[in-house]
Amino acid sequence: MTKRVTGHLGRCQISRYPQGAPVRVSTTVRDTSGALVNAGTITLTVKLAQADGTLATTGTYASPVNDGTGLYHVDVPAADLTALGHYSYVWTSTGTGAGVSPPADFDVIDPFEVSVLPLQDAKDQLNIPQSSTGSDAEIQSYIATIESNLERATGGPLVNRVVTERSEMMSGQTVIPVRQRPLVSVTSIASASGSLIDISGGLDLDVNAGLIRRKLGLPFYGPSFTWLPVCYPTYVAGWGVSVPAAFNSFARVVVQHLWTSQRGPAALPMGGGEMVQVPGFGFLVPNMAAEMLSGSQNGVPFLSQAYI
């Protein structure tokens, strides 16, 4: 059973839960003096963020379990959390301890999502027993932050992923640039009309720069709307089917740095390593970690030289 604990009317670290698992949401109710009290009624409402920016209610739970004076929880069933995405929830109480909690959130993720640093490995790095789960949400948040920054710094997915995007042909419609690297293969290219461009004659791929060309430098001409440069390539980008060891080592050092920094100045180790800015990262990282990204794989440098 996965758990998430919040203070009523408070908030804690955003948690990430695998799809198919129930989520326990807990709260406390207090009166104006701060004493724990039972509410007259208390209801939990859960909503899922939609692609159009709205929120769709996935469940309303009016009979939470009363674990003691002022203590409540709801086990949100997996059947109400079938969609991947960002869920928000609010507790509403009436009577003694009446109030509405501030916004609180959790994410439901693909259980097969590839992680640059599995949670159990991160806890080993931090010398946290696997049986201790109180900091799991915080650690997973750090890992997700490291992954998103790594993707920006390296220019694309950390493992192979299928990408479809809008692009525009260049140089007389002989070159199609894509945003994600390394470029592994091209599945198809649709013209502005939606019709597929014939690429059966073979392609010349610049893996590092993310450029697609036809053999012999011939132009890309679709079956219709040939004068329009807009196209929609579907391709595979990434560093292979497993996370490169350098990325895992980098993540271990950075998660240790992020974890150490939240313990307070008195707990920081003396004589810490130099902090540097890695291009593409939004925060400073230890120099030792940055040096791990100086390598390459199959001749392709890990760090991208352009950030889009």
Side-chain angles (χ1 to χ4, degrees):
M1 178 71 69
T2 52
K3 301 179 181 179
R4 176 180 171 81
V5 179
T6 67
H8 187 56
L9 304 165
R11 178 172 186 164
C12 74
Q13 186 84 26
I14 291 180
S15 301
R16 307 175 79 240
Y17 298 116
Q19 186 183 43
V23 174
R24 173 164 293 187
V25 181
S26 304
T27 194
T28 59
V29 178
R30 299 177 185 273
D31 62 18
T32 55
S33 70
L36 288 169
V37 294
N38 284 337
T41 65
I42 182 167
T43 302
L44 172 69
T45 302
V46 181
K47 297 188 176 185
L48 171 65
Q50 304 295 293
D52 61 2
T54 61
L55 295 173
T57 300
T58 60
T60 300
Y61 311 94
S63 301
V65 177
N66 187 191
D67 299 306
T69 302
L71 305 177
Y72 298 89
H73 82 263
V74 169
D75 291 330
V76 182
D80 292 345
L81 303 172
T82 56
L84 301 178
H86 186 74
Y87 291 78
S88 299
Y89 63 89
V90 169
W91 291 92
T92 304
S93 58
T94 64
T96 307
V100 178
S101 66
D105 319 84
F106 62 86
D107 292 336
V108 173
I109 62 172
D110 184 347
F112 295 102
E113 177 182 87
V114 177
S115 175
V116 66
L117 181 63
L119 175 61
Q120 61 268 27
D121 291 355
K123 292 171 75 170
D124 287 343
Q125 178 73 20
L126 301 174
N127 295 319
I128 297 175
Q130 297 296 331
S131 58
S132 175
T133 60
S135 300
D136 284 5
E138 182 178 9
I139 297 171
Q140 288 175 315
S141 178
Y142 288 152
I143 294 172
T145 300
I146 293 168
E147 288 174 350
S148 61
N149 279 268
L150 259 179
E151 289 200 355
R152 183 167 184 261
T154 61
L158 304 184
V159 296
N160 287 1
R161 181 190 306 160
V162 176
V163 180
T164 299
E165 64 187 27
R166 180 189 184 278
S167 185
E168 294 192 13
M169 303 179 197
M170 305 186 306
S171 303
Q173 297 188 222
T174 62
V175 179
I176 299 175
V178 294
R179 293 178 180 271
Q180 309 289 317
R181 68 179 283 274
L183 175 59
V184 177
S185 62
V186 176
T187 305
S188 64
I189 302 173
S191 66
S193 67
S195 302
L196 294 180
I197 297 174
D198 183 11
I199 57 174
S200 60
L203 298 172
D204 179 17
L205 306 181
D206 187 324
V207 175
N208 184 23
L211 301 176
I212 305 171
R213 296 181 176 88
R214 291 186 64 187
K215 295 291 187 182
L216 303 179
L218 298 174
F220 291 94
Y221 287 138
S224 56
F225 296 90
T226 58
W227 62 90
L228 294 178
V230 175
C231 61
Y232 300 88
T234 297
Y235 62 98
V236 175
W239 296 91
V241 296
S242 61
V243 176
F247 295 170
N248 179 271
S249 297
F250 172 89
R252 286 174 179 270
V253 175
V254 175
V255 79
Q256 178 124 37
H257 160 66
L258 295 174
W259 178 258
T260 300
S261 65
Q262 60 87 38
R263 292 186 300 172
L268 294 176
M270 299 298 292
E274 178 185 0
M275 305 300 295
V276 298
Q277 178 73 56
V278 174
F281 264 70
F283 56 90
L284 295 176
V285 302
N287 184 59
M288 179 174 66
E291 291 175 344
M292 295 176 181
L293 299 181
S294 299
S296 63
Q297 182 167 292
N298 299 324
V300 180
F302 286 139
L303 291 180
S304 173
Q305 297 180 356
Y307 306 98
I308 300 176

